[in-house]
Amino acid sequence: AEGLARINDQLYQLTWQKGQAFVYDLKTFTKVKTFQYEVDGWGLCSDGTNLYMSDGSAALYQRNPDTFKIENTLQVKSGESPINCLNELECVGDSIYANVLGSNFIVKIDKNTGRTVGAIDASSLLPKSNAEAYGVLNGIAHDPETGSFYLTGKNWPKLFEVRE
């Protein structure tokens, strides 16, 4: 499984290369729907109404949660340069936070325009001496009550609480 997002009483889960999204009942975890899609599934987040999906490119797909059809495609750019390798996503207000696979950066994206409006450098979280052993930054979660973000990665030994 890759991305996971919640809308109301349903959880949406992506597969990486199978082109399938599963929808589960939040209370029972019973699978209630399966959708097909054409790209790789890398990251998924919800603003409470819409789903936003990454596929490892510079595109974010706004998807309808009832049909999983693409309603809009955002080309994510910093200035005129596309930001490729968008991975894990977290929707917060009018922004989408995306880690850039293979880097220690999370970009803050305006969900209406696709333009980056900020970045978080997470390179100081782990010691540089063991950086390769820890794999890549690949986990973002936001706590709306505290405003904190929780960051982790593949093979990371810790979960870090940070503020923007």
Side-chain angles (χ1 to χ4, degrees):
E2 287 297 314
L4 183 70
R6 176 183 174 186
I7 295 182
N8 299 321
D9 61 349
Q10 293 188 318
L11 294 174
Y12 295 77
Q13 179 187 36
L14 297 178
T15 58
W16 176 34
Q17 295 180 318
K18 297 284 186 187
Q20 294 183 313
F22 304 116
V23 183
Y24 301 95
D25 178 273
L26 181 63
K27 292 181 181 149
T28 65
F29 296 113
T30 303
K31 188 182 339 175
V32 294
K33 293 182 199 171
T34 301
F35 295 113
Q36 302 294 319
Y37 55 88
E38 299 296 321
V39 297
D40 284 349
W42 282 39
L44 190 68
C45 72
S46 164
D47 63 8
T49 303
N50 297 295
L51 295 166
Y52 296 86
M53 179 179 160
S54 64
D55 67 354
S57 69
L60 291 180
Y61 306 97
Q62 180 184 335
R63 292 188 175 268
N64 180 303
D66 295 323
T67 64
F68 217 67
K69 298 247 187 275
I70 296 172
E71 294 187 336
N72 189 24
T73 302
L74 296 171
Q75 294 300 322
V76 178
K77 293 183 176 183
S78 176
E80 294 303 312
S81 300
I83 305 294
N84 288 303
C85 298
L86 299 173
N87 192 15
E88 167 68 1
L89 304 176
E90 184 72 9
C91 291
V92 180
D94 286 333
S95 300
I96 299 171
Y97 292 80
N99 88 286
V100 179
L101 187 66
S103 80
N104 290 312
F105 284 93
I106 296 168
V107 290
K108 181 179 181 181
I109 304 159
D110 181 313
K111 77 174 184 180
N112 298 304
T113 66
R115 298 287 179 187
T116 59
V117 294
I120 299 168
D121 180 356
S123 61
S124 64
L125 295 179
L126 294 173
K128 301 216 184 303
S129 60
N130 293 344
E132 286 186 27
Y134 292 135
V136 296
L137 173 67
N138 192 32
I140 311 166
H142 179 256
D143 182 342
E145 290 184 21
T146 66
S148 292
F149 286 85
Y150 295 92
L151 305 180
T152 193
K154 293 185 180 184
N155 301 319
W156 282 29
K158 297 179 182 179
L159 175 71
F160 294 89
E161 180 180 3
V162 300
R163 291 189 169 263
E164 185 178 10

